[in-house]
Every structure is written in structure tokens, then in C-alpha cells.
Amino acid sequence: MGKQKLQPGEHGEIFLQENGPNAWRGRTRLCLWDGTETWVSRNASTDDAARLKVQKGVVERLSAARGSDDLKPNSKVGLACRQWVAEMRVRSEWPRPPIRPQTVDEYERLLGNHVVPTLGKRRLNELTPALCQAFVDGIVKLGKSKERQAKGQEMVTTTLQVRSALCMVLDRAVVHDAIRDNPMRKTIVPARKKPDPKAMTVMDVYRLRVAVRAWEKDRVGKPGPKPTGQLSAAVDVMLGTGMRIGEVMALRWGEVNLSPDGLPTIAVEATLTDVKGQGTVRQPKPKTDAGERVLIIPPFVVESMEQIRPAVTSAEMPVFPSRRFKDERAVPKEQTTANLRRTLRSALALAKMTGEVHPHLLRSTAATYVARRMRAADAAALLGHKIEAGVTGKYYIERLRLAPDTSAVLQEMVDIGKEEAAKVPRAEVAAKPATRRLESPVATRAGAVLR
């Protein structure tokens, strides 16, 4: 009589053999899920115990991870990280990528700095929830060191980011059947710190605009590139639109309408980003889909942009070029965000305002002022944030890309600052530090710009 034909997941008769006093051996044929057959055998002191051990062994073999051609249960965590990064790089080049190239760069940095040095040589099948929790606890402990605390680095955000990256790596290992469960998802992490938005008062806005113009004037006649007014114009664009610094630096003249006929507008269609191996590149879409928008700009922004607009422009010409080419036929590259930040720091140092202002503060200032004078939804639309409207909004309502007209409100922010500064002695205005806090709705007019 031939052997019994087994289906995947089935085992045959369990054979028991007594090999001596209190020595029994049980064994059976097992058909694995891929159709291959193997033997499962166990030893015990009694026949019943041997039978139970064989049955338990069958369950273990059927439920054990087998891995794929690329990743096995005994593969190292470092290999899993490298494979995941390589896979994400390919997917970041898809027509509608699930992940951006710069995001892959950031995850690679986190994995290389934290995961690989600690867990890189561990086998995937060695990872347990306890081991992963100890790894998380180690990052949190690092943030408690005196050196980190002196720099204000709690490592909470880093812990959350590293956990997220490793979770995705191990999720891929589950897909490849290298592990059956993701132990990282069972770990406990610190709560994310609640944001504490800051914004400038109208007096701060006035001082900043004066400072960047004074810096441009101070450069006249000194060695180096001639002043172009780009810094003051870029600051005004951020104050008058709430655009991200990358969106501002990516602007091209084809996206700007300063015509006196109709409303002056800026179309936000791209952003600058740093990509590993490519440097700073112009990404032909903003940070999010909701970031694609058309903004009506206030008069002070129009005036600043008119001052830097060349006599002859083309649609592809950057509004804020890195440098002027002698060959007028050559299209210059966009100025990098790092260069703008550096020049802003120089202007702030000259005005003795070091550390008081950064580009993102200008964005939050514009949003806060609009929210106080109009609605929070108008501020969200200005910034290019997604406004949830349920199934109806997601599938049925066409998104209006023209943001609400906030130009009059933002123009008022600048005008009030000028008026209030005119009432205060010049020395007192220059010496006053930026408060960078949300003012009370009942504060005085100078401080209540954000009411």
C-alpha cells in the first residue's frame, strides 16, 4: 500500500517507538504550505507526551515564518533596512509616489544613525517586543543626558520618527514572511509634545522689514554681489502669503501676476527640496496636494516684487535666482533655502535681532493674523492645509484652488506696524525685542495685531 497523499497543512499518522525505559520517540510526515513534505519528530518520557510534542511541533512548523527569496527569518535587521530604503527609492519615482525622495533620505538617515548601530546585526527572528522596547527606551534615555538637555534635545521626536521608520521596515519583513508579527508595534513611546504656536506683533513685523532693507542698504559699495532686494522681497512674500520658504524660493515669473488689471496673484505650484545625490532641486508640486493654490497678494508684496522684477522675464525664470548670468539667454537657477536663511541671519545680526525671527515664524504670523481677523478655515486655505469635509468633500466637491482673499487683512498688518512705529521714538523701536507670542484680544492696537 502506497503512502497516504497529504494536502498542504496536513500530517500523517503519528508513529510511536519505545527506545528504552522512559524514552519514547514520536514522528510523523507533514505537508508544508508550499506542498513539500518533511518529518516532524519529538522525544519524551511517555508515549502520550511524545504524541503531544509531535502535534505541537506540527503547529510550530506550519506557523513558522519561511521568508522569501530576498529576506529570510535569519536575515539581519541591517539588511532589512537597506532593502526597504532601496525599495522606497524606486517607489518615490512612481507617477503618483506614495513617498517623496526627501522623505526616503530622512528615513535612511534615522535608520543609519539609530537602528543599524544598535539592532543592525540582530536576526529578524531574534526580535521580540521586549528587545524592541529596550531599543526605544535607549533613545529616550539618550535624550536625558546632560549634553542633550543643554542643547534642548529631548529626543522625543527622534524616538517617534525612528519607531515609525523601523515599523515600516518590519512591516515589509512581515510581507516577505520573514517574521509573522511586527514586534515594534507593541512598544510604548513618549507622547508627542503639543505645539505651541508663536507669532509676531505688528511692531515686530515693522522692525523685521526695516532690518532687511537696512541690511541691503549696508551692502551698497562693499565687495561681493550687488544688492538685489531679494531678501526684503522674499520676507514680504512670506509675510503677505504665508508660503513656506521652499515654495517662495521655487517661484517663477510665469506663476506671478502683478498686472494692475484684476487681482494680483501668486500660483503655488512647486517647492524646493534637498534630495540625496542631487542637491537642491525644484519639485514640481508643493509639500501636499492641498498646497497647490492661488493666492491674492496684498499691495506691499506687489510693490516689493515689482522692485526686483527684471525688465524682461520669461515664464521659466526664477523670481529669486541664485545669481545673475552674464549670458542673458541662460536661465539662472533658483536660490536655495539655505542661502536665504543665511542672508536673513546676517540681516538680523546687523539689526541686533539675532535669534528673534526665522522663516516659519513669518508663516505662522500671517496665518494667525488672518485667523484672528477672518476665520481659521481661511488661514488653513491660505497656508495650503487640507480641510476635511467627509465623503462629500473627498469625492463630490471640486476643490477651489483660489484661496480666500486675505490681502486686505495682511496689508493692514503691515500698515498698523508703520503707524505704531511712527508714534514711538526710533531708538526705542530698534531696542524692543520681538515677543513672538499670541497677543490677547483685548490688548492695545500695537500688540493686538493678532486678536
Side-chain angles (χ1 to χ4, degrees):
M1 183 175 179
K3 292 195 301 183
Q4 176 187 2
K5 178 66 175 179
L6 299 176
Q7 298 298 318
E10 292 182 345
H11 68 85
E13 180 183 356
I14 298 178
F15 299 99
L16 298 172
Q17 180 180 356
E18 186 176 13
N19 296 326
N22 298 324
W24 286 82
R25 184 188 183 199
R27 58 197 300 264
T28 185
R29 281 188 306 122
L30 173 64
C31 184
L32 301 175
W33 296 114
D34 60 0
T36 60
E37 291 190 5
T38 186
W39 283 90
V40 177
S41 61
R42 296 290 187 274
N43 296 320
S45 58
T46 66
D47 57 346
D48 287 339
R51 183 187 300 277
L52 291 174
K53 281 191 173 183
V54 169
Q55 292 173 342
K56 184 178 180 180
V58 167
V59 173
E60 290 174 349
R61 288 298 302 273
L62 291 176
S63 60
R66 294 177 56 83
S68 66
D69 292 340
D70 295 329
L71 206 61
K72 302 292 184 182
N74 63 348
S75 296
K76 294 184 178 180
V77 173
L79 173 63
C81 291
R82 290 193 297 273
Q83 289 183 354
W84 181 82
V85 169
E87 197 171 273
M88 290 302 104
R89 289 209 181 281
V90 173
R91 293 176 182 175
S92 69
E93 301 297 330
W94 286 359
R96 290 188 60 82
I99 189 171
R100 301 285 178 89
Q102 61 270 27
T103 306
V104 179
D105 291 342
E106 178 62 14
Y107 282 139
E108 183 180 29
R109 184 189 68 81
L110 290 168
L111 293 171
N113 289 347
H114 298 280
V115 177
V116 173
T118 306
L119 299 176
K121 294 184 179 181
R122 290 275 190 173
R123 308 284 179 180
L124 289 171
N125 54 14
E126 293 177 349
L127 296 182
T128 63
L131 180 61
C132 291
Q133 185 63 60
F135 168 68
V136 170
D137 293 344
I139 301 178
V140 176
K141 184 178 180 180
L142 181 63
K144 293 183 178 181
S145 65
K146 292 183 179 179
E147 180 182 355
R148 296 282 182 176
Q149 288 183 344
K151 297 179 180 179
Q153 299 175 343
E154 294 181 334
M155 300 291 287
V156 172
T157 300
T158 300
T159 302
L160 296 172
Q161 293 173 338
V162 171
R163 179 183 183 271
S164 176
L166 186 53
C167 271
M168 288 185 282
V169 170
L170 297 184
D171 280 344
R172 178 182 178 272
V174 173
V175 171
H176 283 260
D177 198 31
I179 53 177
R180 285 298 173 92
D181 190 32
N182 186 343
M184 200 66 191
R185 295 199 175 276
K186 296 180 174 64
T187 57
I188 301 173
V189 292
R192 188 180 296 274
K193 184 180 180 180
K194 293 183 178 180
D196 183 20
K198 304 293 183 182
M200 302 164 65
T201 65
V202 288
M203 191 67 77
D204 299 335
V205 171
Y206 173 79
R207 292 176 62 239
L208 172 63
R209 297 185 73 231
V210 169
V212 294
R213 283 161 175 77
W215 179 77
E216 288 280 355
K217 185 177 180 180
D218 183 68
R219 293 172 59 207
V220 175
K222 292 186 177 180
K226 295 181 179 180
T228 61
Q230 287 190 8
L231 177 60
S232 56
V235 167
D236 280 353
V237 171
M238 284 186 278
L239 283 171
T241 64
M243 292 169 61
R244 299 176 177 91
I245 184 174
E247 296 171 342
V248 173
M249 292 295 98
L251 277 178
R252 292 178 175 176
W253 285 111
E255 300 159 351
V256 178
N257 174 25
L258 302 180
S259 173
D261 302 329
L263 294 173
T265 60
I266 286 177
V268 184
E269 299 178 353
T271 188
L272 288 192
T273 186
D274 294 325
V275 178
K276 186 177 181 180
Q278 302 180 42
T280 301
V281 299
R282 188 177 190 269
Q283 180 177 278
K285 60 174 63 177
K287 184 178 180 180
T288 63
D289 291 340
E292 296 183 14
R293 59 203 188 278
V294 177
L295 305 173
I296 301 172
I297 56 179
F300 78 92
V301 176
V302 175
E303 181 182 353
S304 292
M305 299 194 75
E306 285 282 13
Q307 292 175 356
I308 65 169
R309 182 168 62 172
V312 178
T313 62
S314 65
E316 298 300 312
M317 183 180 293
V319 174
F320 301 102
S322 58
R323 62 188 177 93
R324 301 289 181 183
F325 281 79
K326 292 182 179 180
D327 182 359
E328 294 297 334
R329 294 171 297 175
V331 177
K333 293 184 62 177
E334 295 83 3
Q335 184 181 165
T336 65
T337 57
N339 186 60
L340 182 69
R341 292 178 189 276
R342 182 169 57 252
T343 54
L344 178 58
R345 287 194 297 268
S346 298
L348 294 174
L350 180 65
K352 298 181 179 179
M353 295 173 62
T354 301
E356 295 185 17
V357 179
H358 53 85
H360 204 72
L361 180 62
L362 310 186
R363 178 170 162 84
S364 62
T365 297
T368 304
Y369 196 89
V370 169
R372 293 290 191 268
R373 294 301 179 95
M374 298 174 67
R375 302 178 304 162
D378 296 326
L382 176 73
L383 298 186
H385 290 167
K386 186 176 181 181
I387 302 176
E388 295 291 346
V391 174
T392 304
K394 185 175 183 179
Y395 293 102
Y396 295 95
I397 300 176
E398 181 179 359
R399 186 170 76 86
L400 182 64
R401 296 185 182 275
L402 179 63
D405 187 357
T406 61
S407 58
V409 170
L410 293 171
Q411 180 65 39
E412 182 186 74
M413 175 182 68
V414 172
D415 291 341
I416 293 177
K418 289 181 180 179
E419 294 175 12
E420 296 300 332
K423 302 175 184 178
V424 182
R426 182 175 297 273
E428 185 177 334
V429 172
K432 182 182 177 182
T435 57
R436 290 192 293 174
R437 66 180 62 183
L438 303 184
E439 299 292 348
S440 167
V442 296
T444 61
R445 194 182 185 207
V449 57
L450 306 177
R451 64 177 179 268

